[in-house]
Amino acid sequence: MDHHATTPCDPRVVEKMLLFFSEHFGNPASITHAHGRKASQAVEDARIAVARFFRVLPPEIYFTAGATESNNIALNLVHAGEHFITTAIEHKSIIVLAERLRKRGSDVTLLSPDHEGVIQPEVLRAAMRKETRLVSIEAANGEIGTIQPLAELAAICHQHKVLFHTDMTQAAGKIAVDLTNVDMASFSAHKIYGPKGIGALFVRRGRRVEPVVIGGGQERGIHAGTVNVPGVVGFGAAIQLRAEEMGEEAVRLAELRDSLRNLILAEIDGVSINGPRELRLPGNLNVSFDRIEADSLILAMKRFSLSSGSACSSGERGPSRVLKAIGAGDAAAIGSIRFGLGKSNTAEQITMLVDDLKRVVRKLREISAA
Ligand code: PMP
C-alpha cells in the first residue's frame, strides 16, 4: 500500500518490452540498417503515445532517465542573478536543486501552502518579480495527495511571461492533467505501472532547454546516451493502458480510500487526517496517530508495505517536511502514515489493514504508556 513510491510493472507492459531486449535490440541511432530502424520506429511510436495522452506534439516529448533527470533539466534554466520560485512541499529532487541554485547565486523563493497543501494563486502572484525566470510547482503531492490549481498557477506565469515547470510525476496517469500554459513538465513511468529508470520532459515548442548529460546528442541533444529502448517502449505501453483504464480506476481507488479513512476514524481513537478533504489524489490518504511513532508502526505492520513519506526523502531525519509546511505539529508529523492505494489493492485488504492497524496501535500505545 505504498504505490506513491512505485508500482509493479504491468505484465502487458513487460510483454511489449521483452521483444526489445533481444529480438529488436537495435540502437535507434543506427539508421543505416533495419535493426536500428526497427528500434527507432518503436521509440517514435512511444513518443506519439505519450504526446497523445497529454494532448501535445510528439517533438515536445523528450525521453529521460526519469522525473529526477527531467527536473534537473528544467531547473538548469535558472542562472546566477535570476529568481526562481518553487514550493516548500516539492519532491526532494526539486528541493535539492533549489538549494544548489541558491548556492550558485540565484534568488530562490519557497512558497508556503495553506493547511491543505494548496499553493494559493495569490501567493504565487505576490512572489513574482521582474527577475523571475522560472516557477516550478508540482501538479500533485505524493505525501498528502493535494492536487494543485495548476491551470490558475500556470496562467499567472503566462501573464507575467515567466516560464512554468510542473513536476507531474504523482499526477500524470492518475488524474486528468492539462498542459495549457505549461512550458515544461516532468513525468516518470514507474509510478504508472511502467518500468523504472525512464521518464520524459515535455518542453513546449519554441522553448529552449539545456541538457544535464551531454554526449552523443540523442533525444535531440536533451538526453545524451543510447536510448533505453525497452524502457521507452514500456513507458509508451504503460501510458496507453492508463488512457484506457485511468478513469474507472480513479473512481474505484477513491472509494477504497474513503472506506479506509472512514474505518480508521470509526475504529481507532486519536487519529487525524492530514491534507485536503476534496481535491486529493484518488489512492492517497495520510493519517497521524497520536502517541505513535510512524517508524514503529510501520515495522509492526508486517503484512503491509507502508511508509511515512516519500521514499526519496526517507533518509531525512525528523518530522515530515511536507506535514510541517501545512502546519502539522511535530507529534502529528512524526506519527503519520502515508497510504498509497493502487491497482491490486482490494476491499478485503482494507479490512485486514484496519484490523492490523487497530491491534498494532493499541499495543504500541500500551508499551509507550507503561
Ligand atoms: N517527483 C516526484 C513528485 C516523485 O514522486 C518522484 C518519485 N518519488 C520523482 C520526482 C522522481 O522520479 P524518478 O524516480 O523517475 O526519478
Side-chain angles (χ1 to χ4, degrees), residues 4-6 65-71 90-94 138 140-142 167-170 186-191 196-199 310-312 338:
H4 295 303
T6 195
T68 300
E69 187 196 349
S70 301
N71 288 344
E90 295 298 309
H91 183 258
K92 175 106 182 248
S93 57
I94 297 278
E138 63 187 4
N141 186 275
D167 180 347
M168 289 196 158
T169 308
Q170 292 288 349
S186 302
F187 313 111
S188 181
H190 74 96
K191 310 283 184 178
K196 295 169 180 59
I198 186 81
S310 164
C312 301
R338 160 184 85 160

Side-chain angles (χ1 to χ4, degrees), residues 14-27 33-40 42 229-230 233:
V14 176
E15 196 185 315
K16 293 229 164 82
M17 290 173 71
L18 281 177
L19 284 175
F20 288 87
F21 283 100
S22 47
E23 197 173 331
H24 307 310
F25 62 88
N27 183 331
H33 52 67
H35 286 111
R37 285 196 296 268
K38 177 79 192 171
S40 170
V229 180
V233 167

